[in-house]
RNA sequence: GCGCUUGUAGCUCAGUUGGAUAGAGCGCAGCCCUGCGAAGGCUGAGGUCGUGGGUUCAAGUCCCGCCAAGCGCGCCA
């Protein structure tokens, strides 16, 4: 599906070239031609400020340029009129007939609505959440979760081949720490008076896992036997991952792949990757540790790959992991949705990728700013250590997955967020998400009524859709593809919930102004046309709700 | 100290490569169902876009200084 701005940009480009051939405009480079929807409907359906931008390089009056371009712009099926406005805008009025016909077009081919080809079938991976499997997810994870999953959905619609991945940090020091905590909790659950080790996870989630193991496993673990303890740890991680999967499902998220950090070591990929860096001379031994010479590539400092004690750092496994994404699994683009506290990692990982021959521009990190927890007047950082975490599942149970998703989705990822659970609870009933879902439910009930009254509107004539709110609604519906394309470039998913609200507003407006199913027999033709518009709106709303991972209730 | 990010209505936030009169939801003051769902529609009050300069036809948007907040600068993950 080609978007309207794309069509108009191409027309302007053509007009510009033709005017140049006729020597009415001096030669000049024009980059991308911006066509946008003006805020004021009096300024047309779409508008471009190109003449204002060209005024300087062309050394001509912007109005003059606009007039020339307007003359060369073909009034074709789509374009009905071009109006030149001060101080040099081109305002486009779309043909009513073309707009009306799009309703029929959508209904005859509903699958191609909202699908674009911006991604050109490229392989793209979105990795998100990737929380350590040493505890259940909490509210701070929800933000990245919602942003990542929605981004993946949108990229699919934009024509990418998308994989959603969760990176399981199942190797490393945090696993030992978890094991120590679990053993203590396990002993406690058996009635032993054991203290929790100093450096451990104090959360309830570990207790729950320990008790579950006690209840499930008839063969008790001999806590004096190292082998048994190792088995206990493995069972604990397994159960914790099951819990994380529950958390994720509660938010309507489904991963395509769970990638094990441990697997990087088991099949030698880690060794190979580090070996490669060594061969290329990017690695040096110093103070008994192995270092990556990042500073050669403009980084502030070198970084440790292998510690003095022989264990790999988080950084080095991350290099191997991303090498695997690009080289072994051949992703064209890799997106990591990370917490803002990973910021220091961005540049050095990119520079390591460059050493390995991967284009760092194909590695995109989306840094989601921290969520802080608000308690009365004070705010504090959520921390497992502090024990002030709110489990994700508790939030979802309180306010529902839809409201939860919408809340985190409608804020740009780089803004900080002070999260107030009480406020979230009290506001959940007036969450804007219901405004969108209400529009959907309203349409469903109208369409039900049409069935009840045996109105078959498949032969409705869309040419009867001429009320201002009808035209505005069609325009709004047709905007979705350009929203999807914009997100495919900027990865800013928060545009989607805002667009959805505008779409719902346009529908509620139409509903208020235009009676759909009339009691009057002679209005049957108009009813049928409006039913078509309702069906098209439903298609658009369903698209939005599905992209955002929300339910689409027919009744509320 | 250095780096990254943020600062827009009472609150929570949008503002699309710089464009026309800075928008929405909630809250507040009102109006609209003997008509398909009032979880809706309409009207109003509420803004020196943190602050001071600069760039230009045009700045909430770009550049510089300052103020405030968050994060980062580990042989932690």
């Amino acid at each position: 599906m080609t978007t309207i701005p794309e069509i108009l940009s191409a027309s302007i480009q053509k007009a510009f070239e033709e005017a140049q051939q006729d020597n009415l405009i001096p030669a000049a480079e024009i980059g991308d031609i911006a066509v946008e929807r003006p805020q004021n409907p009096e300024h047309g359906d779409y508008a471009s400020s190109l003449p204002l931008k060209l005024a300087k390089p062309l050394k001509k009056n912007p109005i003059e340029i606009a007039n020339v371009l307007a003359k060369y712009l073909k009034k074709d099926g789509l374009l009905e009129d071009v109006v030149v406005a001060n101080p040099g805008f081109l305002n486009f009025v779309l043909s009513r007939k073309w707009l009306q016909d799009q309703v029929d077009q959508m209904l005859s081919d509903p699958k191609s609505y909202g699908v674009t080809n911006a991604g050109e079938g490229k392989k793209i991976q979105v990795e998100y959440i990737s929380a350590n499997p040493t505890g259940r997810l909490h509210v701070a994870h929800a933000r990245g979760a919602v942003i990542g999953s929605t981004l993946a959905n949108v990229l699919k619609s934009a024509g990418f081949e998308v994989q959603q991945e969760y990176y399981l940090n199942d190797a490393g020091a945090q696993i030992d720490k978890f094991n120590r905590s679990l053993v203590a909790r396990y002993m406690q659950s058996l009635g032993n008076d054991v203290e929790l080790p100093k450096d451990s996870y104090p959360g309830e989630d570990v207790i729950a896992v320990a008790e579950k193991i006690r209840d499930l496993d008839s063969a008790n673990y001999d806590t004096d036997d190292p082998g048994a303890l190792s088995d206990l740890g493995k069972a604990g991680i397994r159960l914790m991952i099951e819990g994380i999967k529950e958390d994720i499902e509660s938010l309507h998220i489904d991963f395509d792949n769970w990638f094990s950090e441990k697997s990087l070591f088991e099949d030698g990929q880690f060794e190979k990757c580090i070996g490669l860096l060594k061969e290329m001379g990017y690695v040096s031994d110093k103070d008994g540790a192995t270092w990556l010479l990042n500073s050669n590539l403009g980084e502030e400092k070198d970084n440790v790959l292998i510690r003095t004690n022989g264990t790999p750092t988080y950084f080095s496994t991350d290099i191997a992991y991303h090498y695997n994404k690009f080289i072994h699994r051949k992703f064209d683009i890799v997106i990591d949705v990370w917490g803002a506290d990973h910021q220091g990692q961005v540049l050095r990982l990119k520079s390591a990728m460059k050493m390995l021959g991967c284009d760092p521009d194909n590695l995109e990190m989306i840094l989601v700013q921290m969520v802080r927890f608000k308690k009365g007047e004070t705010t504090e950082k959520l921390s497992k250590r502090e024990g002030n975490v709110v489990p994700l599942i508790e939030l979802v149970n309180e306010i529902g997955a839809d409201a939860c998703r919408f809340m985190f989705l409608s804020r740009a990822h780089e803004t900080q967020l002070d999260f107030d659970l009480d406020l979230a609870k009290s506001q959940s009933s007036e969450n804007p998400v219901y405004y969108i879902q209400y529009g959907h439910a309203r349409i469903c009930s109208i369409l039900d009524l049409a069935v009840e009254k045996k109105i078959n509107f498949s032969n409705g004539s869309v040419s009867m859709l001429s009320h201002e709110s009808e035209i505005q609604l069609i325009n709004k519906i047709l905007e979705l593809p350009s929203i999807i394309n914009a997100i495919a470039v900027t990865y800013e998913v928060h545009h989607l919930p805002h667009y959805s609200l505008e779409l719902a507003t346009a529908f509620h407006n139409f509903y208020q102004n235009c009676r759909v199913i009339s009691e009057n027999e002679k209005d049957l033709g108009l009813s049928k046309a409006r039913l078509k518009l309702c069906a098209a709106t439903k298609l658009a709303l369903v698209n939005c709700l599905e992209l955002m991972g929300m339910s689409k209730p027919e009744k509320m």
Side-chain angles (χ1 to χ4, degrees):
Chain A
M1 185 163 178
T2 317
T3 66
I4 296 172
E6 282 169 358
I7 299 171
L8 291 174
S9 299
S11 303
I12 298 172
Q13 176 78 39
K14 209 172 160 204
F16 184 75
E17 284 164 9
E18 286 174 8
Q20 264 186 0
Q21 277 168 17
D22 294 348
N23 284 320
L24 288 171
I25 285 183
E29 278 292 317
I30 48 172
D32 287 345
I33 300 170
V35 175
E36 50 195 22
R37 295 217 68 196
Q39 291 202 347
N40 188 338
E42 284 171 22
H43 297 145
D45 297 310
Y46 285 84
S48 174
S49 59
L50 182 69
L52 286 163
K53 295 200 169 92
L54 288 178
K56 193 168 232 181
L58 264 51
K59 293 183 182 132
K60 272 178 102 80
N61 184 322
I63 291 285
E64 217 175 300
I65 299 168
N67 278 325
V68 171
L69 288 176
K71 203 164 31 167
Y72 278 85
L73 276 161
K74 298 256 174 353
K75 314 272 183 347
D76 52 11
L78 168 70
L79 193 56
E80 184 159 293
D81 199 10
V82 183
V83 180
V84 174
N86 278 325
F89 289 100
L90 284 170
N91 292 339
F92 303 102
V93 180
L94 301 189
S95 145
R96 289 225 159 162
K97 180 173 186 318
W98 188 87
L99 287 170
Q100 292 157 347
D101 286 346
Q102 298 314 301
V103 175
D104 272 336
Q105 178 63 39
M106 279 176 68
L107 297 180
S108 69
D109 187 10
K111 283 208 176 94
S112 65
Y113 170 74
V115 175
T116 78
N117 192 31
E120 299 169 323
K122 281 185 190 157
K123 270 187 83 175
I124 192 166
Q125 187 200 57
V126 185
E127 181 219 321
Y128 57 101
I129 308 180
S130 298
N132 288 340
T134 53
R136 295 287 290 260
L137 300 187
H138 45 91
V139 290
H141 295 121
R143 195 175 187 190
V146 164
I147 287 175
S149 71
T150 304
L151 179 59
N153 291 342
V154 173
L155 291 173
K156 269 180 220 164
S157 282
F160 285 95
E161 187 188 323
V162 184
Q163 186 191 51
Q164 304 182 61
E165 179 155 289
Y166 190 117
Y167 181 47
L168 269 176
N169 296 107
D170 52 4
Q174 77 282 356
I175 296 296
D176 297 333
K177 183 169 153 185
F178 172 79
N179 288 350
R180 284 196 299 275
S181 317
L182 182 65
V183 169
R185 291 304 194 189
Y186 178 69
M187 307 265 284
Q188 286 173 354
S189 80
L190 293 172
N192 297 314
D193 188 17
V194 181
E195 259 191 50
L196 206 55
K198 252 190 186 156
D199 187 31
S200 60
Y201 294 111
E204 306 258 329
D205 41 7
V206 182
I207 300 177
V209 164
E211 288 177 351
K212 201 161 182 185
I213 290 176
R214 178 200 60 195
D215 296 343
L216 283 182
D217 255 313
S218 47
N220 283 347
Y221 291 94
D222 176 0
T223 46
D224 290 327
D225 173 10
L229 283 185
S230 153
D231 287 344
L232 175 65
K234 281 179 194 162
I237 293 289
R238 240 187 341 263
L239 279 175
M240 201 56 99
I241 292 174
E242 273 177 34
I244 289 174
K245 288 186 175 175
E246 254 177 60
D247 296 339
I248 284 164
E249 278 169 28
S250 78
L251 274 178
H252 309 156
I253 293 172
D254 186 20
F255 282 95
D256 302 308
N257 195 38
W258 294 70
F259 190 94
S260 155
E261 177 187 357
K262 223 177 354 180
S263 73
L264 291 169
F265 299 99
E266 287 167 350
D267 58 16
Q269 290 187 67
F270 177 83
E271 288 294 325
K272 196 183 150 197
C273 181
I274 301 301
L276 217 57
L277 287 168
K278 272 184 191 158
E279 273 173 36
M280 292 187 287
Y282 291 119
V283 176
S284 146
D285 289 330
K286 196 169 55 186
D287 307 330
T290 307
W291 296 71
L292 184 68
L293 305 175
N294 289 68
S295 53
N296 291 0
L297 271 86
E299 282 295 291
E300 261 179 54
K301 56 181 95 170
D302 297 335
N303 292 280
V304 173
L305 294 175
I306 312 284
R307 298 184 188 94
T308 319
N309 68 8
T311 59
T313 59
Y314 175 85
F315 178 49
S316 64
T317 53
D318 227 18
I319 295 173
Y321 175 42
H322 284 83
Y323 180 75
N324 169 279
K325 293 186 188 197
F326 280 111
I327 303 299
H328 287 267
R329 292 192 276 164
K330 297 186 168 47
F331 285 105
D332 297 307
I333 302 173
V334 169
I335 299 177
D336 296 337
V337 181
W338 283 350
D341 53 344
H342 284 66
Q343 183 216 103
Q345 180 85 343
V346 172
L347 286 177
R348 59 183 187 201
L349 182 59
K350 283 197 175 210
S351 89
M353 285 300 108
K354 199 170 173 185
M355 294 170 181
L356 288 164
C358 307
D359 184 351
D361 289 340
N362 291 330
L363 176 59
E364 180 78 25
M365 281 82 161
I366 298 178
L367 294 183
V368 178
Q369 286 294 323
M370 296 284 100
V371 176
R372 291 189 311 163
F373 187 59
K374 215 169 172 181
K375 231 182 201 167
E377 289 303 302
T378 59
T379 53
E380 48 192 83
K381 194 179 162 185
L382 287 165
S383 151
K384 263 192 235 180
R385 175 87 41 104
E386 300 294 329
N388 64 355
V389 296
V390 179
L392 172 63
I393 204 95
E394 184 187 318
L395 177 68
V396 175
N397 287 340
E398 288 277 357
I399 74 174
D402 292 340
C404 183
R405 287 191 68 109
F406 200 87
M407 186 176 63
F408 286 115
L409 207 51
S410 38
R411 290 154 171 76
H413 63 81
E414 69 268 18
T415 59
Q416 293 142 214
L417 181 63
D418 287 340
F419 186 80
D420 186 331
L421 183 63
D422 294 331
L423 190 70
K425 283 183 199 168
S426 70
Q427 285 190 346
S428 67
S429 59
E430 61 227 16
N431 192 299
V433 71
Y434 300 120
Y435 181 82
I436 300 165
Q437 293 179 323
Y438 181 60
H440 179 263
R442 250 185 172 175
I443 294 174
C444 289
S445 94
I446 295 172
L447 295 176
D448 282 349
L449 186 66
V451 171
E452 197 180 298
K453 293 195 175 253
K454 299 195 169 62
I455 302 175
N456 177 357
F457 59 88
S458 61
N459 62 349
S461 168
V462 290
S463 64
M464 299 180 79
L465 300 171
S466 59
H467 189 278
E468 186 55 30
S469 61
E470 292 172 324
I471 299 299
Q472 287 304 322
L473 177 55
I474 297 173
N475 255 312
K476 192 51 77 177
I477 291 171
L478 296 177
E479 256 183 72
L480 178 62
S482 48
I483 300 291
I484 288 173
N485 278 357
I487 295 173
V489 173
T490 62
Y491 306 136
E492 290 175 347
V493 261
H494 68 276
H495 295 300
L496 191 55
H498 287 100
Y499 165 76
S500 305
L501 281 174
E502 288 171 12
L503 177 63
T505 301
F507 172 72
H508 288 307
N509 227 296
F510 154 76
Y511 176 89
Q512 201 72 22
N513 290 311
C514 302
R515 175 88 195 170
V516 178
I517 295 177
S518 169
E519 299 299 323
N520 200 328
E521 271 296 313
K522 72 174 171 40
D523 291 335
L524 186 61
L526 187 57
S527 287
K528 286 181 176 180
R530 288 179 171 167
L531 281 164
K532 275 192 167 176
L533 181 52
C534 285
T537 309
K538 184 180 171 186
L539 184 57
L541 282 172
V542 165
N543 251 277
C544 290
L545 288 167
E546 283 179 347
L547 286 171
M548 294 189 291
M550 292 166 193
S551 57
K552 358 174 237 281
E554 303 197 350
K555 287 191 169 55
M556 292 173 71

